[in-house]
Amino acid sequence: LSYYIALALVIVERLFINPAIKRVKILLPRWKIMLSRRLAPPRLRQKSAEDVAKEESAWRRANEQIEMHCEGVEPLLESLGQYSIELTANLLVPLIFSFLMAFYKQTCVAEKYGVEANELGYYTMFGFFIVPFGIFSDVLILNAQELMYG
């Protein structure tokens, strides 16, 4: 049950939360400029031509950075980078459990968490068993990301 809850949280995180955070980070410079324009005192709103030109260049620069980041394959490469890190972690989990099982007395890690030596075998088997399903779910998540965000 806990695996399915964790999988649901990963799906929500990768499909909704991470893209929203990235979008906010991308749009933050534009929002800062808009907020500074809106909250400027009335005496500072009357600006010289040089100040207006500086503001317009900053506005153009912020918009160009937003366009450059949103175009191309960078968002897709970021999601693939995240996927590769998670896949590597999923592939290493059974090996780590095997290591902990082989060196149960020497490491004392599992013992401190209250996991017996024979229970580590179940953790290792679960780690090996879950890898193909993890890869399948990651493929589905990547396809959903592509459909949602292009």
Side-chain angles (χ1 to χ4, degrees), residues 18-80:
N18 282 349
I21 291 172
K22 288 175 188 174
R23 188 77 175 156
V24 167
K25 282 174 54 177
I26 291 169
L27 294 175
L28 196 60
R30 180 190 291 173
W31 291 345
K32 285 181 181 178
I33 293 171
M34 291 171 64
L35 193 62
S36 67
R37 285 180 180 175
R38 203 166 291 266
L39 296 179
R43 61 181 164 77
L44 293 179
R45 288 187 186 155
Q46 299 171 354
K47 299 176 182 171
S48 66
E50 291 177 9
D51 292 337
V52 170
K54 285 180 186 177
E55 275 189 11
E56 285 302 317
S57 71
W59 178 258
R60 269 189 253 112
R61 202 171 334 112
N63 286 330
E64 286 173 2
Q65 288 176 352
I66 291 169
E67 288 176 17
M68 285 178 52
H69 187 77
C70 291
E71 292 177 357
V73 295
E74 286 84 10
L76 181 61
L77 290 177
E78 288 175 4
S79 64
L80 284 174

Side-chain angles (χ1 to χ4, degrees), residues 47-140:
K47 299 176 182 171
S48 66
E50 291 177 9
D51 292 337
V52 170
K54 285 180 186 177
E55 275 189 11
E56 285 302 317
S57 71
W59 178 258
R60 269 189 253 112
R61 202 171 334 112
N63 286 330
E64 286 173 2
Q65 288 176 352
I66 291 169
E67 288 176 17
M68 285 178 52
H69 187 77
C70 291
E71 292 177 357
V73 295
E74 286 84 10
L76 181 61
L77 290 177
E78 288 175 4
S79 64
L80 284 174
Q82 183 180 4
Y83 164 71
S84 65
I85 291 169
E86 290 180 12
L87 178 64
T88 304
N90 286 338
L91 292 174
L92 287 176
V93 164
L95 298 174
I96 291 171
F97 283 141
S98 300
F99 178 80
L100 288 175
M101 193 168 49
F103 300 104
Y104 181 78
K105 292 289 184 196
Q106 291 85 356
T107 60
C108 299
V109 173
E111 189 176 4
K112 293 204 186 273
Y113 284 99
V115 177
E116 298 296 324
N118 61 345
E119 293 173 344
L120 276 175
Y122 296 119
Y123 282 97
T124 305
M125 286 189 299
F126 178 76
F128 279 118
F129 179 74
I130 210 65
V131 167
F133 297 104
I135 292 172
F136 179 72
S137 66
D138 286 337
V139 167
L140 289 179

